[in-house]
Amino acid sequence: YISMSDPSSPPPIGSVRFGRGLSILTQRFDPYKESLVLHAVSGRERHLERLRAAVEECRSNRPFRPSDVVESLREVREATALVVERVLEWRKGLVRPEPFDVGGVNYMLKVVKDVDGLRGLPAADLFGFELGMRNPFCMPTRPRKAVREVLRERRRKQAAMRRRGGGGTKTRDH
């Protein structure tokens, strides 16, 4: 988590630093595009805070609504997509690709790992899906148990086909 003095407002324009000694002048700096990215980053950080609060409700012994966590995951997904879109638009004005740093951290790399901390949550039991690792868009993944069951069933079908002399090894689950 990158702490910002006021998470409701983006960092000041011009706070982005370029690597490799490039300056704003050599990069055809566009303060409007930077402000759009910073605003999207600020919004995403607010959604992450709401998600973390909802997850803490889940982890506590207090009653909670799983729909709050699922809704927060959806909001983070949409905010992440907006940040990626805005960073890509910001990069169009650059001479060569540069990271979009916020607080000294490449924000696009931070995005990849932001929700990894939710792995300790029993998501499969609560919501019927897992989040997996490096899943910045919070897309539901199959629980490992379900994957093992699908593979076990596929192997069973393949073995049955071989026993019947079908010899085929390809089966379709869908």
Side-chain angles (χ1 to χ4, degrees):
Y1 171 73
I2 297 175
S3 69
M4 296 183 209
S5 57
D6 181 8
S8 64
S9 63
I13 292 175
S15 63
V16 175
R17 301 285 178 250
F18 298 105
R20 297 189 288 280
L22 296 174
S23 70
I24 288 174
L25 296 176
T26 60
Q27 288 288 4
R28 295 191 323 243
F29 174 71
D30 186 342
Y32 176 70
K33 286 182 180 178
E34 181 182 337
S35 70
L36 289 176
V37 178
L38 291 172
H39 190 271
V41 165
S42 179
R44 183 175 182 278
E45 291 295 320
R46 279 194 309 276
H47 290 301
L48 280 171
E49 282 303 311
R50 278 191 226 135
L51 175 60
R52 288 183 183 111
V55 166
E56 284 307 311
E57 288 279 320
C58 285
R59 289 184 174 150
S60 70
N61 290 328
R62 300 180 304 234
F64 74 97
R65 293 181 11 197
S67 61
D68 290 347
V69 176
V70 173
E71 179 63 20
S72 293
L73 288 169
R74 185 193 59 76
E75 290 171 348
V76 169
R77 178 184 312 129
E78 290 174 3
T80 300
L82 181 62
V83 167
V84 170
E85 179 182 307
R86 297 273 167 89
V87 167
L88 291 174
E89 186 62 33
W90 172 81
R91 283 183 176 168
K92 286 181 182 177
L94 304 180
V95 174
R96 58 182 168 207
E98 291 289 334
F100 191 88
D101 285 350
V102 176
V105 175
N106 179 341
Y107 197 76
M108 297 301 282
L109 293 178
K110 177 188 176 299
V111 161
V112 172
K113 298 179 183 176
D114 271 344
V115 295
D116 284 357
L118 303 179
R119 287 202 50 170
L121 187 68
D125 296 333
L126 295 170
F127 316 116
F129 61 85
E130 288 184 354
L131 291 172
M133 290 282 291
R134 296 185 176 187
N135 185 1
F137 293 103
C138 304
M139 297 300 292
T141 60
R142 275 191 162 163
R144 280 177 259 145
K145 182 178 177 183
V147 170
R148 284 193 300 266
E149 289 172 5
V150 167
L151 291 173
R152 189 178 305 122
E153 180 64 20
R154 186 176 296 156
R155 285 188 211 111
R156 188 189 63 72
K157 286 180 181 178
Q158 288 173 351
M161 289 286 287
R162 282 192 292 266
R163 281 192 299 271
R164 280 188 250 141
T169 58
K170 294 185 179 179
T171 62
R172 291 192 65 145
D173 291 334
H174 319 0

